[in-house]
Amino acid sequence: MHAGPSFGTFLEERRIPFRRNEPLAPHTTFRVGGPAKFFVEPLNEDQVADVFRAARECDVPVRILGGGANLVVRDEGVSGVVVKLTHLRRREGSRVQAGYPLARLVKETVMEGCSGLEALAGVPGSVGGAVTMNAGGRNGEIGAAVRYVDAMTHEGEVRRIGREEAGFRYRGSALDGYVVLAADLELLPDEGVRDRYEEILSAKKRAQPLGRWSAGCMFKNPPGQSAGRLVDEHGLKGARVGGAYVSRKHANFMINDGTATASDVFRLVDLVRRRVPVELELEVLVW
Ligand code: EPU
């Protein structure tokens, strides 16, 4: 990356906070993977646009990191720029910025007696990441509660995108080419919401190894089937490669015992795929 030094100079000149060779593992819930050559935390939206502009000029690829909850970073790390919207975390009523922690937002809105997000009880990550990937599960997805998002193109232009145009689908959206800056959510007063939240959360705690180092569900559910059940039925609970193993609580989760590398995880993914006769597509992002 010949233009690396000039990109760093640009950031310094504009006082955009960044670090070089930042280990990414601590920024993910799985705690695996190598460093980012540039790790940038813009202070505001204008700085996000500046980063894109400079990256384009310097021909450096940009990736946006949310809460790092659904991500496996390769051991060799990322050669370009990783942008984390750490400082974009304001909430004003139903409007919330991308860097806001999802679990906190869900809990707050439920405690305020508003429904819309309770289906996301126990889902980690950031609001921006959750919206981009349409996080959710059996009880509902975040896309259903989004009125619109404000998103930036990689050219630095901000656009308001309504729910329909955002194209929410199973663990995805049409927002991949954008950086979500903020979302406006449909939150409706609902007396029963607290009980529903508690129920969803406790069911999730019973079924899933929450609190362990993992990236959540590794594989998408194949149409009409359950990836977790398939992996379980093929006797793979507890299967291990190095420091990574298939959870005994939920077979679609892989756990890092504290010593796993990304390479352990990928070898475990291969092992599972060889043993399960149905094609399993990764649900996690890989960098
Ligand atoms: N099952 C097994 N063995 C297992 C795991 C599951 O037999 O080890 C069975 C369960 O008994 C159940 C079925 O498989 O009959 C489905 O399992 P579960 O109810 O746990 O839901 P899931 O389809 O595995 C989905 C999402 C989760 C989300 C939950 C709850 C996917 C790939 N997974 O799980 O999302 O939390 O519903 O809403 O869509 C994630 O995205 O990271 C994630 C965990």
Side-chain angles (χ1 to χ4, degrees), residues 138 170-171 208 217 221 226 229 232 237 250-251 283:
R138 203 163 357 103
Y170 175 54
R171 289 311 120 77
Q208 298 183 2
C217 285
N221 283 339
S226 157
R229 184 184 296 147
D232 188 358
K237 278 188 169 173
H250 194 300
E283 195 250 358

Side-chain angles (χ1 to χ4, degrees), residues 14-27:
R14 282 174 181 62
R15 299 180 188 281
I16 301 176
F18 78 103
R19 293 191 286 278
R20 290 177 205 265
N21 298 318
E22 170 80 356
L24 290 174
H27 294 283

Side-chain angles (χ1 to χ4, degrees), residues 164-200:
E164 288 306 312
E165 200 193 336
F168 294 112
R169 55 186 149 78
Y170 175 54
R171 289 311 120 77
S173 72
L175 299 168
D176 277 347
Y178 294 91
V179 190
V180 171
L181 298 173
D184 192 80
L185 302 162
E186 204 154 50
L187 300 170
L188 302 168
D190 180 337
E191 287 191 355
V193 69
R194 287 188 193 85
D195 291 345
R196 253 191 344 270
Y197 169 81
E198 294 298 340
E199 260 168 48
I200 293 170

